[in-house]
């Protein structure tokens, strides 16, 4: 895990997760959230920092699992 490629991959995965979350929740789902806002907690009460902690956890383990299983055999390896 001291490899620079590993950490760059983990950071890249974290950034992609955060950007996709933002795009889906702010862009695509915003209308649905607004229509059902009486069912949700106020944004002041939500602990949004927990989401970023989970993204870091997922990005780290996704990168770890990929790096342990990577054999360089092409696209079929990625599909598997």
């Amino acid at each position: 895990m001291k490899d620079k490629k590993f950490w760059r991959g983990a950071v890249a995965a974290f950034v992609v997760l955060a950007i996709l979350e933002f795009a889906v929740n702010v862009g695509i789902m915003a209308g649905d959230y607004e229509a059902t806002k009486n069912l949700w907690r106020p944004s002041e009460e939500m602990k949004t920092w927990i989401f970023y902690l989970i993204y870091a956890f997922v990005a780290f383990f996704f990168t770890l699992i990929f790096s342990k299983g990577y054999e360089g055999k092409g696209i079929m390896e990625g599909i598997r």
Side-chain angles (χ1 to χ4, degrees):
M1 286 192 295
K2 295 179 182 179
D3 188 19
K4 286 184 181 181
K5 280 184 172 181
F6 173 82
W7 290 108
R8 281 186 283 189
V11 169
F14 174 79
V15 169
V16 168
L17 281 169
I19 289 171
L20 287 175
E21 181 272 334
F22 181 80
V24 168
N25 287 313
V26 174
I28 298 170
M29 300 292 293
D32 293 332
Y33 290 148
E34 187 63 31
T36 59
K37 66 182 175 183
N38 59 329
L39 301 174
W40 301 97
R41 290 182 182 200
S43 59
E44 300 83 32
E45 289 183 23
M46 291 187 189
K47 295 178 174 79
T48 55
W49 61 271
I50 293 175
F51 294 117
Y52 294 105
L53 184 67
I54 292 169
Y55 300 154
F57 181 80
V58 168
F60 175 80
F61 282 104
F62 176 82
T63 307
L64 180 66
I65 292 168
F66 179 82
S67 67
K68 297 296 180 186
Y70 180 72
E71 298 172 355
K73 294 184 178 177
I75 192 81
M76 289 309 294
E77 178 183 20
I79 293 171
R80 177 176 40 112

